[in-house]
Amino acid sequence: MRQLRASGQCTAMESGPLSEGSYLGLLQSEIDPLQLFHFYDQPLPGEEEIEFTSDPDTDTINCDQVDRLWNAIENEGAGEAYDRIAALAEYMFSDPHPETEGIFGNIDPDEVVNENIDALAEVPQKSQKSQKRLFMDKPEPQSDTWETKRRKPETSPAIPLVTNNLVTASSNDNLVLKDSLSPLPGQVAKPSLPSMKEAFLVPMSSASPVFTCLNFNGGPIQLIPTFPTLPQGVFQFTVENGVSNIFFYPASSGDDAIIQSLPVSPDRPGSTSPLVPSAADMPNMPEASALTLQSRKTDVHLEQSLEQLATIVVDSNLAPKQPESVEGFCRALQKAYGDVPKGQSSYYIDIELTRTQVEKNSKYQEKDLAIQDWTERQKARVGWREVFARPSGQKGETQVIAVLGKAGLGKSAWTREICRNWAQGQLPQYEFVFHYKCHGLNLPGNDYCLKDLFFRLCHHSLEESEEVFKYILKHPNHILVILDSFEELEGQDGLLHYLASSSPREPQPIKGLLAGLFQRKLLRGCTLLITTRPKGRFIQYLAKVDSLLEVQGFSPEQVEAYFEKYFQSSPSDRDEALRLLRTQPYLLSHCYSPAVCLSLCQLCEKVLAAGGPAQLPSTLTGLFVSLFCSALRAKKKGTSETWPRRCLAGLAELAWERGQRHCRVLREDQFPSKEVKEFTVSGDFMWPLPTARDPEMVFSTFLLQNFLGALRLALSGEVRHKELPRYIALTPRKKKPYDNWLDRVPHFLTGLLFQPLSSCLGLLGGDEQVELVCKRKKVLLSYLTRLQPGTLGPGKLLELLHCAHEAADRQLWEHVTAGLPSYLSFWGVRLAPPDVHVLGEALKAAGKDFSLDLRSTSIDLHGLRILVQLGCVTCFRASLSDTVWLWESLQQSGEHELLQSSTKKFTIDPFKVKSMKDVEDLCSLVHIQSSGNVPTEACDPLPAIRDLKKLEFALGPGLGPQGFPKLVKILAAFSSLQHLDLDTLSENKIGDEGVTQLSAIFPELKVLETLNLSQNCITDVGATELAKALPSLATSLVTLSLYNNCICDTGAKNIASVLPSMVSLRVLDVQYNKFTDAGAQQLTASLKKCPHIETLAMWNSTIPYGVQEHLQHLDSRISLR
């Protein structure tokens, strides 16, 4: 602040002397007001400082108080300083002359709006350099006199209240400045001002009310009129609802306008504001009579100024005024999105999105999506509007957003819904939204520029316009580019390192354009939204994405909502369809995918329309067999029996070929025949793609394409029998025939070959395929029975369980379940609802007890409950927070028996603290009994707490000192703790304070055998406190490690003095400390009195090597390794 104050003085002095009686001219000059505050903040000799008072009759504020307020903002952040600024701001804008209200009492609100829009263009550029920021948070009342000054009328008037410098709306107008205008979290309360070219003016017509409302992404914003009586400059506010930066500019009154003054303060003639120093503070200030005369002239012109235009200047997050050609292009683009047939999107249900992050895969040392617990996902849920919220400080930079999710979870439908929402005006921060299916960008050639991307390659045939293109280049922050189904893009690798051109008009390949966008070379400042699968080549770009979101799929409530939309014309059919679905829990578990919901609705519709007894199949294979059999039966009427099957075989070949190319779309001219196309369209197996430039069709669901690909493998003569096990891919191989893009093919292939011919392939392929199917089934059965489930990893084991479940073959199912090991860990493998179902069925069929590790699996609460309640599960580990949440839900529902059973099965031994969340979860588990969330008579104490024997603490140097004190407070609850390890490669650095806190609870750790305090920055102070407390562990402690600390001779001496009393101690490690030969000799002398100690590791660089060898010669138990 001293440097800033000195620089302010220099600037003020260099600007030259001010003319006599021109304080308002000073405000309009180019001198920074903050520099003036510091310049005039020098106390005059012999003059006392004027104190701030809440007395309404005292209108005197010293500049030093303003200076201290700014300093408070810098030092205190958004704390008490904001309240003090809010009080000062309201004082400034309060009306000091109640008698002047009559001046404005008869003014109609509509008269505030002036038709002279051109006056706004004359706002001086120099006003940008003088600015103050006002924070209108409501402060707490300081005293009765202050409350009197701030008291509001009991009933708000119907019209805005007008003061000498600002119009304030009543509560009926939904505008409360003190509550709605405040700095966003993380923002520093300092004056800031964007350039004029980044803002635009929104005029208010005289026919509309003063306070017109704009609908923004974050909520409504009121248009607040400004008047020439405001000080020259700009005031900036930040709105809490996500829309940033509202700027108030004083309207100019024309060339002949008289310079306006600020409102006059009482008891200070000529003073224009509480911020204005008194005459004693400013020697160059004009006489009071001059300012009073000028103030009277201001009052004369103030009433005239109320008829001028009221404007608001909003940050560039809102769209600037568009030329006519641009407006026409926007309207055409919006119409194109609005006219797109909804198709399957007619049943669209909002999908759940959660924010996620990237973590390093410890096994492969590469970036991967973090696996979040169920409770973490609940906290990280976001709405579709929040997806596009820009982080503070990222203005002007390209924002890359990635939405990841498994195939069939509704990512493409969500992007189409985003486009429709934009067309309806629900994303006003974007003027243009360009949507691309990535398969449509797989184009050859090197002659594409950025203009081609927006006009030639856009699926909407809109007229190309140079003016529109220039407008896009000029306002990139209002552009949203959507790349849907990124996994279908060819040449995905190397986008970060591709030598893309930064010129928007230079021709280059499509890959160069996408690389330019991704590298922020082209259209810098736009928003790039990418949807893709979590497992794929996009994983290499995860670390470069600004915002990562994950699609979670449907909840049970959303499944019912989907069925309700599909059967909205027939509620009875909806109820019957849901009843049929609940009879098949395996299919119900798959309904978390919207694609499966659609297929089930289609089948239910056909089954209910046929009449008679209705029943759904028990597997996904049976589901799609039923759908295709229904289509075959419909086509057999009036045609030969073989024609529909030939069409089905041709469609299966197309599905496999497209899958090999990582694509779900094909052009209409790619069908092998008109018959195949007719069969496909009539059966609803493929739908027209409305967003394509050329006529294209897409498979109705990704699962259906997988089924057709498996059907091709099962019936095609081009596939040899011995090649089938390669497509199951449950054992590692050097070469694979395909890269598992069609990841459900193994499930469907097993189901097609093993299910009875009469109800499966016999219907789809005909009786002539019987011999072929039998041979392939025999080959596949031989392969699957040779597998040993106990040798497979968790991911491959789940694949085997799915294949065996789809096969519905008793022999295969018994073989797989009998080979399950008693301990099953699924650490790091996501357990979706179908995985939980097949795992539960396998555990029940195995006929033995199991111990499950469900940590880091992202299992939901319903799935956790399903597995925990199984009688064969005798022990389980899961997320602490999820387990506690499950217990609370069981208690609320009154299921005390299941609650008691789950608490007895739950274990946490051993436990490793790797994050602050682990510390908090452990604390919650310890305090759960005292909070009453679990009946104490059911489990007192909790077995998980009682049986914990090993605890590791590995928060590292950043969080270690913060998390360890919390951990120490609950350590006494673990009565069976035997191993406490506080060592980590990155060092925890609990220091002397942490050791002191730990030593205080040694009497409670009665069975502690191993204590590892290595690499924790412990000095003599901590070693001394440790030595005092060690006798409490004399009969239990076996190993003590103080490796790589900062213990010197004093600490070594204190430790040596306590060793004879440690009768159970066998190993002591004090290597890599700071004690010298004096401390070493103390330890050696004490060692002679301790025959029970087996090893003393004592090598230190501060001890001469000869001394160490001599000490080792005296006692062979001393280790120098």
Side-chain angles (χ1 to χ4, degrees), residues 56 58-59 86-98 100-101 134 136 146 148-152 162-166 168 178 262-266 272-274:
T58 304
D59 195 10
L88 177 59
E90 185 167 356
Y91 188 94
M92 289 174 57
F93 286 103
S94 63
D95 188 357
H97 289 297
T100 60
E101 294 179 2
L134 305 181
M136 310 298 285
W146 179 250
T148 303
K149 183 171 183 62
R150 298 183 53 211
R151 184 176 297 119
K152 298 180 181 180
V162 185
T163 66
N164 287 9
N165 57 355
L166 185 65
T168 305
K178 290 184 287 296
L262 295 175
V264 181
S265 298
T272 58
S273 166

Side-chain angles (χ1 to χ4, degrees), residues 147-373:
E147 179 63 23
T148 303
K149 183 171 183 62
R150 298 183 53 211
R151 184 176 297 119
K152 298 180 181 180
E154 295 180 0
T155 58
S156 300
I159 63 173
L161 302 177
V162 185
T163 66
N164 287 9
N165 57 355
L166 185 65
V167 172
T168 305
S170 65
S171 59
N172 296 333
D173 294 317
N174 298 323
L175 177 64
V176 183
L177 294 178
K178 290 184 287 296
D179 292 334
S180 62
L181 300 177
S182 62
L184 289 174
Q187 288 189 341
V188 180
K190 295 183 179 179
S192 59
L193 180 64
S195 60
M196 283 293 293
K197 62 183 180 181
E198 293 179 347
F200 77 102
L201 305 179
V202 182
M204 297 170 57
S205 63
S206 58
S208 62
V210 173
F211 298 99
T212 305
C213 183
L214 287 177
N215 289 324
F216 290 97
N217 181 21
I221 284 185
Q222 303 290 344
L223 300 184
I224 305 173
T226 61
F227 305 100
T229 54
L230 282 175
Q232 187 75 10
V234 181
F235 295 91
Q236 178 181 355
F237 299 87
T238 305
V239 183
E240 289 178 348
N241 57 8
V243 179
S244 62
N245 297 343
I246 300 179
F247 299 93
F248 291 85
Y249 278 79
S252 175
S253 57
D255 296 335
D256 57 347
I258 297 178
I259 297 178
Q260 304 293 337
S261 70
L262 295 175
V264 181
S265 298
D267 299 333
R268 183 178 277 206
S271 176
T272 58
S273 166
L275 284 178
V276 178
S278 64
D281 296 327
M282 295 183 62
N284 292 332
M285 191 170 182
E287 294 295 332
S289 57
L291 288 179
T292 304
L293 178 60
Q294 193 172 6
S295 176
R296 292 174 181 174
K297 294 181 179 180
T298 299
D299 294 336
V300 173
H301 290 274
L302 180 59
E303 188 171 357
Q304 299 175 1
S305 67
L306 292 175
E307 299 175 359
Q308 295 183 354
L309 177 66
T311 62
I312 183 170
V313 180
V314 186
D315 185 18
S316 56
N317 284 342
L318 300 180
K321 183 173 177 57
Q322 300 173 340
E324 291 184 4
S325 59
V326 176
E327 290 183 357
F329 183 85
C330 286
R331 286 194 298 269
L333 190 59
Q334 291 170 349
K335 185 177 185 301
Y337 286 129
D339 293 344
V340 171
K342 289 190 175 182
Q344 59 179 336
S345 297
S346 301
Y347 321 118
Y348 176 78
I349 301 293
D350 283 336
I351 58 178
E352 289 187 1
L353 295 173
T354 58
R355 292 200 184 277
T356 184
Q357 56 188 0
V358 177
E359 66 179 7
K360 181 174 289 187
N361 190 315
S362 58
K363 182 177 181 180
Y364 301 104
Q365 295 298 312
E366 62 182 11
K367 300 293 184 180
D368 201 354
L369 276 184
I371 300 179
Q372 297 176 312
D373 299 335

Side-chain angles (χ1 to χ4, degrees), residues 16-23 25 284 286:
L18 299 171
S19 60
E20 188 70 17
S22 60
Y23 177 69
N284 292 332

